[in-house]
Structure formats: C-alpha cells, structure tokens
Amino acid sequence: MAGLRERKKEQTRLRIAAVALRMFTERGFDTVTVNEIAEAAEVAKATLFAYFPTKESLALHGVGGDDLAGIVARRPAGQTFLAALRAHHRAFAAGQVPEADLDALLARVRVIQDSPTLQNAANGLLYRQREALAQVLADEYGPTAAALMAAQIAASLLTLQETYFQHLLGGASAEDAGRALSRDVELAFDLLEHGLNHAEGR
C-alpha cells in the first residue's frame, strides 16, 4: 500500500511539473500565477506547495542539484577531490538524455533563459552549491584557498553545462552533445588539475 501511495504522489508531482512547464513555455514564467498552475493541474494550491515550495522550484528542478560537497566528502581514501568530481561528471556525460525527456529539458532551459527572475534564483542555488563545496574543502585547505578552489570548480562546471545546452539548442543530437560534453569534461578537469599552463602546452 505504501508503494502505491508513493507512486501516486510521484504521478501528481510529475503532472504538476508538466502543467507548469507547458504554461511557462506558452506564456513566460513571470506571467503565470501559482493559482493558475494549481487549477490547470487540478490540485489545491496547498498541494502544489507541498511538492514545490516556491514557484521558482517548478522550473528549476535539477539546477544546483549535484551534491558536489557530498561527492568530495564521501570519496574513497587516497582519491583526490578533483578525481572524485571528474569521475562523477565523466559518468554523467557518458549517460544519454532519453529522447522522451529531451524536449522537456530544452523547454525548461529556454524558460530559464527568458526569465531574469529564474536566472537570479538559479544563481542563488549555484552559489549555495559552491559554498557547501568550499566548506568541505576548508577543513583540508583553509577557508581562503577552499573558496578560491570552489569558485574555479563551480565556474568550470557551469561553463560545461552552458556549452552542453548550447549544442542541444543548436540542433545537435543527444548523442553528439553527449560526446562533446565528454571531451569538455576531460578538458575542464585537466585545466583544473594542471592550471592554465596546461592549455598553453596543448
């Protein structure tokens, strides 16, 4: 019975998210109200907020969601933090976005790009992600060095994400965009590990 309840809850969450994305795509994030989304999804406003605590969270699912701090904190003994992060992003790049999910993903990217409100909210999520990573690194490297390292890592990962989405929005297939991302992940972590001199020597 518990399994059935969880499936129904997940179905409700997905339905709300799909309705919200469709409305955001058609009218823009800022013009759509939470009341309108709840009505279109046939749920109470309180139910919507039980799944999505803010209007922004309806569009920002996954933004800043990678637990970079956790990846570093839980890495095996003897593995460097950059090696752990590289392995995580290498595995992500090797995966394929299912074709059924691709249109929704690109629609969400466009909605975010078109809304200053969402861009600011996304920046806030990414900032918190970066701060959490810096806190983990501070135990080993001290606060200033940790903040600088976390900033460099966060900027590199954001650039990887932006380039990946640019490929997809430009018409590249999920397979081709994934191959490009795999190459870019290796380049990004080579630069993080070896510095700008590494780029000059390529």
Side-chain angles (χ1 to χ4, degrees):
M1 192 60 119
L4 178 59
R5 275 199 303 272
E6 289 304 314
R7 284 198 299 274
K8 286 184 175 179
K9 287 172 65 175
E10 180 62 10
Q11 289 169 357
T12 300
R13 188 189 70 79
L14 291 174
R15 185 175 76 252
I16 294 170
V19 167
L21 181 59
R22 175 175 53 78
M23 297 177 76
F24 294 154
T25 300
E26 292 172 353
R27 293 167 47 195
F29 175 82
D30 297 301
T31 63
V32 178
T33 68
V34 171
N35 285 336
E36 289 174 326
I37 296 169
E39 182 178 351
E42 300 180 336
V43 297
K45 186 176 178 180
T47 301
L48 184 150
F49 280 129
Y51 290 94
F52 300 95
T54 65
K55 179 184 170 186
E56 288 79 8
S57 66
L58 284 158
L60 294 177
H61 175 68
V63 174
D66 266 356
D67 183 12
L68 303 181
I71 292 167
V72 169
R74 294 189 297 268
R75 71 189 190 276
Q79 185 181 47
T80 68
F81 74 87
L82 280 177
L85 290 170
R86 185 197 287 260
H88 172 79
H89 287 88
R90 182 182 281 163
F92 174 81
Q96 287 290 324
V97 177
E99 287 295 332
D101 297 339
L102 190 57
D103 287 345
L105 172 64
L106 295 182
R108 189 161 70 247
V109 171
R110 292 188 185 99
V111 166
I112 294 170
Q113 288 179 342
D114 291 341
S115 170
T117 300
L118 284 176
Q119 290 176 27
N120 288 335
N123 287 337
L125 292 172
L126 294 171
Y127 176 78
R128 288 196 286 275
Q129 181 190 57
R130 191 184 87 197
E131 287 292 286
L133 176 60
Q135 288 176 10
V136 171
L137 294 174
D139 292 339
E140 188 172 352
Y141 297 97
T144 301
L148 290 168
M149 287 189 286
Q152 292 179 60
I153 292 166
S156 295
L157 296 180
L158 179 59
T159 301
L160 288 176
Q161 183 184 78
E162 290 172 345
T163 303
Y164 175 64
F165 287 140
Q166 285 169 4
H167 286 144
L168 290 172
L169 290 169
S173 67
E175 185 177 357
D176 286 344
R179 278 198 292 264
L181 178 59
S182 292
R183 292 193 300 269
D184 292 345
V185 164
E186 300 305 328
L187 173 59
F189 279 94
D190 284 346
L191 290 171
L192 286 168
E193 286 189 21
H194 305 296
L196 296 181
N197 288 335
H198 177 74
E200 293 178 359
R202 289 176 69 87

